[in-house]
Short mmCIF file of all heavy atoms in Angstrom, two decimals:
data_model
loop_
_atom_site.label_atom_id
_atom_site.label_comp_id
_atom_site.label_asym_id
_atom_site.label_seq_id
_atom_site.Cartn_x
_atom_site.Cartn_y
_atom_site.Cartn_z
N GLU A 12 -11.79 -14.94 -25.19
CA GLU A 12 -12.59 -16.07 -24.74
C GLU A 12 -13.90 -15.53 -24.19
O GLU A 12 -13.89 -14.65 -23.34
CB GLU A 12 -11.87 -16.87 -23.64
CG GLU A 12 -11.18 -18.11 -24.13
CD GLU A 12 -9.72 -17.88 -24.43
OE1 GLU A 12 -9.14 -16.98 -23.80
OE2 GLU A 12 -9.18 -18.58 -25.31
N HIS A 111 -9.23 -9.31 -13.30
CA HIS A 111 -8.82 -10.51 -14.04
C HIS A 111 -7.49 -11.08 -13.51
O HIS A 111 -7.31 -12.30 -13.44
CB HIS A 111 -8.69 -10.10 -15.50
CG HIS A 111 -8.36 -11.20 -16.44
ND1 HIS A 111 -9.31 -12.01 -17.01
CD2 HIS A 111 -7.18 -11.64 -16.93
CE1 HIS A 111 -8.73 -12.88 -17.80
NE2 HIS A 111 -7.43 -12.68 -17.78
N HIS A 115 -6.90 -14.86 -11.97
CA HIS A 115 -5.93 -15.88 -12.42
C HIS A 115 -5.20 -16.46 -11.22
O HIS A 115 -4.92 -17.66 -11.16
CB HIS A 115 -4.90 -15.26 -13.37
CG HIS A 115 -5.27 -15.36 -14.81
ND1 HIS A 115 -5.55 -16.55 -15.44
CD2 HIS A 115 -5.37 -14.41 -15.78
CE1 HIS A 115 -5.83 -16.33 -16.71
NE2 HIS A 115 -5.73 -15.04 -16.95
N SER A 135 0.94 -14.66 -18.12
CA SER A 135 -0.11 -14.73 -19.12
C SER A 135 0.27 -13.93 -20.36
O SER A 135 1.40 -13.45 -20.47
CB SER A 135 -1.43 -14.24 -18.53
OG SER A 135 -1.40 -12.84 -18.40
N GLY A 136 -0.71 -13.76 -21.26
CA GLY A 136 -0.44 -13.01 -22.48
C GLY A 136 -0.24 -11.53 -22.19
O GLY A 136 0.43 -10.82 -22.93
N GLY A 137 -0.82 -11.05 -21.10
CA GLY A 137 -0.75 -9.63 -20.81
C GLY A 137 0.02 -9.28 -19.55
O GLY A 137 0.33 -8.10 -19.33
N GLY A 162 3.91 -14.09 -22.15
CA GLY A 162 3.06 -14.68 -23.19
C GLY A 162 3.14 -13.89 -24.49
O GLY A 162 3.08 -14.46 -25.58
N GLU A 163 3.29 -12.59 -24.36
CA GLU A 163 3.44 -11.71 -25.53
C GLU A 163 4.70 -12.12 -26.30
O GLU A 163 4.70 -12.17 -27.54
CB GLU A 163 3.51 -10.26 -25.05
CG GLU A 163 4.22 -9.25 -25.93
CD GLU A 163 3.34 -8.71 -27.04
OE1 GLU A 163 2.14 -8.99 -27.01
OE2 GLU A 163 3.89 -8.02 -27.93
N PHE A 165 6.14 -15.12 -26.34
CA PHE A 165 5.84 -16.40 -27.03
C PHE A 165 5.01 -16.12 -28.29
O PHE A 165 5.29 -16.66 -29.36
CB PHE A 165 5.04 -17.34 -26.10
CG PHE A 165 5.90 -18.22 -25.22
CD1 PHE A 165 6.31 -17.79 -23.97
CD2 PHE A 165 6.31 -19.48 -25.66
CE1 PHE A 165 7.09 -18.59 -23.15
CE2 PHE A 165 7.10 -20.30 -24.85
CZ PHE A 165 7.48 -19.85 -23.58
N ASP A 166 3.99 -15.29 -28.15
CA ASP A 166 3.07 -15.05 -29.28
C ASP A 166 3.76 -14.33 -30.43
O ASP A 166 3.55 -14.66 -31.60
CB ASP A 166 1.85 -14.25 -28.81
CG ASP A 166 0.96 -15.06 -27.89
OD1 ASP A 166 1.05 -16.30 -27.91
OD2 ASP A 166 0.19 -14.46 -27.12
N PRO A 177 -2.60 -19.55 -30.94
CA PRO A 177 -1.68 -18.70 -30.19
C PRO A 177 -0.31 -19.35 -30.05
O PRO A 177 -0.17 -20.57 -30.08
CB PRO A 177 -2.35 -18.53 -28.83
CG PRO A 177 -3.47 -19.51 -28.78
CD PRO A 177 -3.67 -20.12 -30.11
N GLY A 178 0.71 -18.51 -29.87
CA GLY A 178 2.08 -18.97 -30.00
C GLY A 178 2.59 -19.89 -28.90
O GLY A 178 3.40 -20.77 -29.15
N GLY A 179 2.11 -19.66 -27.66
CA GLY A 179 2.67 -20.38 -26.52
C GLY A 179 2.60 -21.88 -26.67
O GLY A 179 3.62 -22.59 -26.58
N ALA A 180 1.40 -22.38 -26.93
CA ALA A 180 1.21 -23.83 -27.03
C ALA A 180 1.98 -24.38 -28.23
O ALA A 180 2.57 -25.48 -28.16
CB ALA A 180 -0.27 -24.15 -27.15
N ASP A 183 5.70 -24.50 -27.33
CA ASP A 183 5.86 -25.57 -26.32
C ASP A 183 5.96 -26.93 -27.04
O ASP A 183 6.86 -27.75 -26.76
CB ASP A 183 4.62 -25.52 -25.40
CG ASP A 183 4.80 -26.35 -24.13
OD1 ASP A 183 5.78 -27.10 -24.04
OD2 ASP A 183 3.95 -26.24 -23.22
N GLY A 270 -2.50 -18.23 -15.10
CA GLY A 270 -2.26 -17.60 -16.41
C GLY A 270 -1.90 -18.62 -17.47
O GLY A 270 -1.40 -19.70 -17.15
N GLY A 271 -2.13 -18.23 -18.72
CA GLY A 271 -1.95 -19.16 -19.84
C GLY A 271 -0.57 -19.81 -19.91
O GLY A 271 -0.44 -21.00 -20.22
N VAL A 272 0.48 -19.04 -19.62
CA VAL A 272 1.85 -19.58 -19.76
C VAL A 272 2.16 -20.58 -18.62
O VAL A 272 3.10 -21.35 -18.71
CB VAL A 272 2.89 -18.44 -19.81
CG1 VAL A 272 4.28 -18.96 -20.11
CG2 VAL A 272 2.51 -17.42 -20.88
N ALA A 274 0.63 -23.07 -18.29
CA ALA A 274 0.42 -24.38 -18.92
C ALA A 274 1.71 -24.89 -19.56
O ALA A 274 1.80 -26.06 -19.95
CB ALA A 274 -0.67 -24.27 -19.99
N ASN A 275 2.73 -24.06 -19.64
CA ASN A 275 3.95 -24.43 -20.35
C ASN A 275 4.67 -25.61 -19.68
O ASN A 275 4.91 -25.59 -18.47
CB ASN A 275 4.90 -23.22 -20.42
CG ASN A 275 6.15 -23.54 -21.20
OD1 ASN A 275 7.15 -23.94 -20.64
ND2 ASN A 275 6.09 -23.39 -22.51
N CYS A 301 -5.86 -22.61 -16.53
CA CYS A 301 -4.72 -21.69 -16.71
C CYS A 301 -5.13 -20.52 -17.59
O CYS A 301 -4.89 -19.37 -17.29
CB CYS A 301 -3.55 -22.41 -17.39
SG CYS A 301 -2.61 -23.49 -16.31
N THR A 302 -5.75 -20.84 -18.73
CA THR A 302 -6.16 -19.77 -19.65
C THR A 302 -7.50 -19.18 -19.19
O THR A 302 -8.09 -19.65 -18.22
CB THR A 302 -6.25 -20.33 -21.10
OG1 THR A 302 -6.87 -21.59 -21.05
CG2 THR A 302 -4.89 -20.48 -21.72
N ASP A 303 -7.95 -18.14 -19.89
CA ASP A 303 -9.12 -17.39 -19.42
C ASP A 303 -10.37 -18.27 -19.30
O ASP A 303 -10.68 -19.05 -20.22
CB ASP A 303 -9.39 -16.22 -20.39
CG ASP A 303 -8.27 -15.20 -20.33
OD1 ASP A 303 -7.43 -15.28 -19.41
OD2 ASP A 303 -8.25 -14.30 -21.21
O1 KG4 B 1 -4.15 -16.16 -19.36
P1 KG4 B 1 -4.36 -16.09 -20.82
O2 KG4 B 1 -5.43 -16.98 -21.41
O3 KG4 B 1 -4.73 -14.66 -21.30
C1 KG4 B 1 -4.32 -13.48 -20.71
O4 KG4 B 1 -4.90 -13.10 -19.66
O5 KG4 B 1 -3.36 -12.89 -21.26
O6 KG4 B 1 -2.95 -16.39 -21.49
C2 KG4 B 1 -2.78 -16.48 -22.86
C3 KG4 B 1 -1.29 -16.65 -23.12
C4 KG4 B 1 -0.93 -16.54 -24.59
O7 KG4 B 1 0.18 -15.66 -24.70
C5 KG4 B 1 -0.53 -17.96 -24.97
O8 KG4 B 1 0.43 -18.01 -26.01
C6 KG4 B 1 0.04 -18.47 -23.66
O9 KG4 B 1 -0.86 -17.96 -22.68
N1 KG4 B 1 0.11 -19.95 -23.55
C7 KG4 B 1 1.28 -20.61 -23.42
C8 KG4 B 1 0.96 -22.00 -23.40
N2 KG4 B 1 -0.40 -22.12 -23.51
C9 KG4 B 1 -0.90 -20.84 -23.59
N3 KG4 B 1 2.55 -20.16 -23.33
C10 KG4 B 1 3.54 -21.07 -23.22
N4 KG4 B 1 3.33 -22.42 -23.21
C11 KG4 B 1 2.06 -22.91 -23.29
N5 KG4 B 1 1.87 -24.24 -23.27
#
Side-chain angles (χ1 to χ4, degrees):
E12 260 95 27
H111 184 86
H115 268 304
S135 74
E163 155 83 9
F165 272 90
D166 291 340
D183 194 350
V272 187
N275 183 267
C301 283
T302 42
D303 293 348

